[in-house]
Amino acid sequence: QSYESVYREVIQEHWTDSATVPATLPESQQVQIDREVQQRLEKSTPLYSLQQILGAAWIAGGLFVGAALLITNWHFSRRLKRTRIPLKAEAAPIPVYVSHLAETPCLFGLLRPVIFVTPEIAARADALPFILAHETTHYHHGDHIWAFLRCICLILHWYNPLVWLAAAIFCVCIADLLRKKK
């Protein structure tokens, strides 16, 4: 409600016949009416606006998605570190490890990225140089940074189903590509 509409309500309650309302009220009456109008406005004002509620929901959703992504990656990183075995690879500019947890060769990590290969790939001397060259290309293209930025997009746009659909399609396309290579 606006101040004017509440003011009219209070005036009508004090003077049933609005024609008898004096043009100028004494200051004491005006202060009393003004206090009553303010009290009614405070009672009718919602505790939080829709914008504040939606803002809080957006922040809470972003924090939840961010925490989920962080915990998942942290947990996977710890498991990889426990199972990794260093692999000598002079051609790779970053460390290379073998882990049975890696389903396919991959570049993992943001600040200190490393390459993980499966035990089967590590055993294939004919394929290993090509796979390391492929993963090194991902490193030189900054794909680990792009993966981080995709996560930021998911955190900021957690409410947008199109962003989740795009992420799911990306994962399906990558999985299809990897199956075709086998």
Side-chain angles (χ1 to χ4, degrees):
Q1 287 183 318
S2 68
Y3 181 89
E4 291 79 22
S5 63
V6 175
Y7 183 82
R8 273 188 249 116
E9 286 176 13
V10 171
I11 291 292
Q12 286 175 354
E13 288 174 12
H14 286 283
W15 286 278
T16 53
D17 182 16
S18 58
T20 62
V21 176
T24 56
L25 296 171
E27 189 174 332
S28 62
Q29 264 188 325
Q30 186 61 43
V31 168
Q32 181 184 355
I33 290 171
D34 194 42
R35 259 194 230 121
E36 191 171 336
V37 169
Q38 291 298 331
Q39 286 173 353
R40 288 187 188 187
L41 282 173
E42 286 172 9
K43 286 180 186 175
S44 68
T45 304
L47 190 56
Y48 297 103
S49 70
L50 180 62
Q51 185 177 8
Q52 289 172 319
I53 293 169
L54 292 176
W58 176 74
I59 290 171
L63 289 173
F64 177 77
V65 170
L69 290 171
L70 185 67
I71 290 168
T72 302
N73 279 294
W74 179 73
H75 182 66
F76 186 58
S77 173
R78 285 188 46 154
R79 290 179 56 211
L80 280 172
K81 283 181 182 177
R82 277 188 260 143
T83 63
R84 72 184 183 184
I85 300 166
L87 181 68
K88 269 205 180 268
E90 288 82 25
I94 57 175
V96 179
Y97 296 100
V98 178
S99 175
H100 69 278
L101 292 176
E103 293 179 12
T104 62
C106 64
L107 178 68
F108 187 81
L110 177 63
L111 300 177
R112 289 175 291 197
V114 297
I115 296 173
F116 284 97
V117 294
T118 64
E120 296 80 24
I121 295 294
R124 292 186 56 194
D126 60 328
L128 186 61
F130 298 107
I131 289 170
L132 291 179
H134 176 87
E135 294 304 324
T136 300
T137 303
H138 283 299
Y139 171 71
H140 287 302
H141 287 170
D143 289 351
H144 57 295
I145 296 168
W146 289 110
F148 175 72
L149 293 175
R150 275 191 301 272
C151 288
I152 296 297
C153 286
L154 283 173
I155 291 168
L156 294 176
H157 297 278
W158 64 267
Y159 57 89
N160 189 340
L162 294 177
V163 173
W164 288 97
L165 180 64
I169 289 171
F170 176 77
C171 291
V172 168
C173 290
I174 294 298
D176 285 346
L177 285 173
L178 293 172
R179 265 189 246 113
K180 287 178 185 177
K181 283 186 179 183
K182 289 181 181 181

